[in-house]
Amino acid sequence: MRKFIYLISAIATLCSCANELETIAEDFIGNGSSIELYEYRIGKTSTIKIDSFATSTGSNTVSLSEIFVGRYMDPLYGGKTVVTPTFAIAPMFTPVIEPDATLDSVTFKFGYTGNLWGDTISLRQQELTLYEISELPTYDEKDDNSVMYNNKPIPPFKREIAKTYFLPNKQGLKDAYFKIDKNDKYFTKLFDRMKYNDNLFYDLPWSFIEEFKGLAITPGANNDVIFGIKAAVDSLYMCFHYHFGEMLESTFKVPLSSPILQYFNVTNTPTKTFESLKTQRDEVSIESASFALIQGLSGYMVKMELPAPPPQNQFSTLVKAELEINPLVFYNSSIAMPKSISVYKSNAENELLGALTQTSGEVVGKLKLDQENLDASRYIIDLTEFYDKLSNSPNFPEDSDRYTHIIISVNSMAQTFDRVIIEELPTLRLYYAHYNNDMKI
């Protein structure tokens, strides 16, 4: 039997015995069959950068369950990424506060989700600043489809409210919160208005939001972590602490409100390697960069142009097609690798044309992590159904350019900072079974 290896980047045909493959097709064609392997190195592999991605739900009934904040500088791969969230808060009901109540303090709490990327080894102190914004976020209902995107600027800041500092670990983030100066005249006056139920509460939440437009959280200039915050009324709220009577203590919470005003802005300043990625059509080849990059939040994805299937006769059957990606794996990396990656259909203009699907659902690449030999770790993407359809298409290979562009990405660009670094050309393997007894092998 012959094993053929075809290289996209360089034409080379190698013949060798591959008896170990002979059993692959037995379930399909029985004993006596032979397997032919076509192996391709995907030389047309490039890094691209998505123009924008949604960072809000655009819904008044359902909101994102997690938002992000932070700053991370990656001088070798992804450059500097800064994430700034903004959101509205408003009381859920009209407060009942005793007329003789005295304000003791005001705090702003945020709940840590457990997702953290960055330097957690040196435990450098991190800084966050809480700002009041001066305008309500707006969007074009027609052009933006009622959704906020990562490239939408945060509204101007009205004033700084408070700062907080924390260590980048689970306990440090669990204990972190903003404490507002108890002598802040604005909040003292706001508390008085709460006591007397003025027009702040006549049409909640909008009557309050019109007065207090919202908040934004910014990372410090020297921060080196990005982390997740729970976007829920019981974990993201401003709390007024007060006492009345014989030193009786109580609180009143003003929680997260109006999901349509909630989103986060992401800016990425690329390294010199990727500074030419101005639009989604631009590409940086793996050859020129020495690597390709997939990373959430920062917007990096990998574009590949796959080969058309080789011509086959009526006595050939595609048994298996798989794309293998060899990622660069670090010990104790500050940025995690995703357990799976998504595959999208595309075109020559690098547009995302929807997820690549098969009978069982969307096509994904699953990480096979080799703990004993990290260099042997692989993402394996099953493309058997994809290539089976191409092999049986009457228009192939004439219109192959319409179908063989794919984009590899993290599963959700807006919900992770995970990354994949690829230094080796991905490998495509196509296994064909030949079952004509009269065919000369």
Side-chain angles (χ1 to χ4, degrees):
M1 186 183 105
R2 292 181 297 179
K3 173 184 175 183
F4 296 99
I5 301 178
Y6 295 85
L7 304 184
I8 293 179
S9 55
I11 301 176
T13 304
L14 304 176
C15 298
S16 65
C17 181
N19 293 327
E20 68 275 10
L21 299 176
E22 290 182 358
T23 60
I24 292 179
E26 287 182 0
D27 291 339
F28 297 88
I29 57 180
N31 295 328
S33 61
S34 60
I35 299 297
E36 187 173 24
L37 166 63
Y38 294 80
E39 186 172 284
Y40 303 81
R41 303 294 183 193
I42 311 301
K44 292 185 178 180
T45 298
S46 302
T47 300
I48 66 173
K49 195 173 185 182
I50 192 169
D51 286 337
S52 64
F53 52 91
T55 55
S56 78
T57 59
S59 168
N60 59 5
T61 57
V62 180
S63 65
L64 295 174
S65 61
E66 183 177 26
I67 56 179
F68 298 92
V69 62
R71 172 195 178 275
Y72 185 78
M73 179 62 192
D74 180 1
L76 297 179
Y77 301 104
K80 182 175 71 174
T81 301
V82 179
V83 189
T84 304
T86 187
F87 40 85
I89 61 172
M92 300 179 71
F93 52 85
T94 301
V96 178
I97 301 175
E98 292 72 8
D100 64 339
T102 300
L103 181 65
D104 295 320
S105 64
V106 182
T107 58
F108 186 82
K109 301 291 184 70
F110 54 90
Y112 171 49
T113 63
N115 288 321
L116 174 67
W117 299 267
D119 183 7
T120 59
I121 303 299
S122 63
L123 289 180
R124 291 174 50 201
Q125 183 174 260
Q126 309 288 302
E127 174 186 289
L128 297 176
T129 304
L130 182 68
Y131 287 95
E132 179 186 356
I133 58 176
S134 61
E135 300 174 6
L136 290 174
T138 59
Y139 54 80
D140 187 302
E141 293 188 12
K142 180 180 179 181
D143 293 340
D144 295 338
N145 298 312
S146 300
V147 172
M148 306 285 193
Y149 293 86
N150 66 298
N151 56 357
K152 180 177 180 57
I154 298 297
F157 297 151
K158 183 175 182 179
R159 67 187 186 110
E160 178 182 318
I161 295 177
K163 287 185 181 292
T164 190
Y165 302 88
F166 64 94
L167 294 179
N169 56 24
K170 183 177 180 179
Q171 190 61 45
L173 279 162
K174 180 181 178 181
D175 295 340
Y177 69 96
F178 292 97
K179 186 172 183 178
I180 300 167
D181 187 348
K182 67 177 182 179
N183 296 318
D184 187 302
K185 293 182 180 180
Y186 178 84
F187 288 101
T188 301
K189 182 178 179 180
L190 187 61
F191 181 70
D192 287 339
R193 296 177 69 182
M194 291 179 180
K195 288 196 295 185
Y196 299 110
N197 295 328
D198 74 357
N199 57 7
L200 277 175
F201 306 98
Y202 79 91
D203 183 25
L204 291 174
W206 296 109
S207 54
F208 188 90
I209 291 173
E210 284 297 327
E211 168 70 24
F212 192 88
K213 301 297 191 296
L215 296 166
I217 301 175
T218 66
N222 295 316
N223 285 23
D224 51 12
V225 297
I226 292 174
F227 63 95
I229 293 174
K230 297 177 183 177
V233 296
D234 60 349
S235 56
L236 194 63
Y237 58 87
M238 184 172 288
C239 187
F240 290 78
H241 306 259
Y242 63 93
H243 71 272
F244 59 95
E246 295 295 327
M247 296 302 293
L248 297 174
E249 297 181 350
S250 189
T251 59
F252 180 69
K253 295 180 180 179
V254 183
L256 181 69
S257 180
S258 302
I260 59 175
L261 301 176
Q262 172 190 319
Y263 70 100
F264 53 90
N265 169 270
V266 185
T267 61
N268 173 260
T269 305
T271 62
K272 187 175 181 180
T273 301
F274 295 134
E275 63 184 4
S276 63
L277 298 179
K278 305 298 184 183
T279 72
Q280 197 164 314
R281 290 189 176 190
D282 300 322
E283 301 180 14
V284 174
S285 70
I286 190 172
E287 180 181 11
S288 63
S290 299
F291 68 93
L293 179 65
I294 301 168
Q295 187 160 31
L297 294 179
S298 297
Y300 294 104
M301 304 181 293
V302 167
K303 164 76 176 293
M304 297 181 194
E305 186 174 347
L306 302 176
Q312 299 292 322
N313 58 40
Q314 60 181 319
F315 303 109
S316 298
T317 298
L318 177 67
V319 176
K320 183 180 180 181
E322 66 178 18
L323 180 64
E324 179 182 282
I325 297 174
N326 177 22
L328 181 63
V329 185
F330 300 95
Y331 288 97
N332 299 320
S333 176
S334 58
I335 306 297
M337 288 175 53
K339 294 181 180 179
S340 64
I341 49 180
S342 295
V343 185
Y344 296 92
K345 295 176 287 186
S346 185
N347 54 26
E349 286 72 42
N350 302 337
E351 295 177 294
L352 274 71
L353 304 178
L356 190 63
T357 59
Q358 55 189 4
T359 302
S360 59
E362 295 182 358
V363 174
V364 298
K366 297 181 179 180
L367 176 62
K368 294 185 176 181
L369 188 63
D370 190 323
Q371 297 286 2
E372 296 182 358
N373 179 14
L374 292 180
D375 290 340
S377 301
R378 298 287 189 272
Y379 286 97
I380 303 297
I381 302 173
D382 184 358
L383 295 176
T384 304
E385 287 190 29
F386 173 74
Y387 266 97
D388 183 59
K389 291 179 181 178
L390 295 188
S391 297
N392 293 296
S393 171
N395 298 321
F396 252 81
E398 288 78 8
D399 58 357
S400 62
D401 187 62
R402 293 176 52 196
Y403 302 98
T404 54
H405 297 274
I406 63 169
I407 287 175
I408 313 293
S409 173
V410 293
N411 291 336
S412 175
M413 188 63 68
Q415 291 294 284
T416 181
F417 193 55
D418 287 356
R419 75 178 178 194
V420 181
I421 301 166
I422 305 168
E423 292 188 333
E424 297 181 11
L425 292 179
T427 301
L428 175 70
R429 295 186 180 93
L430 305 179
Y431 299 91
Y432 282 89
H434 301 298
Y435 55 98
N436 183 350
N437 292 332
D438 296 329
M439 187 174 66
K440 303 298 182 180
I441 303 297

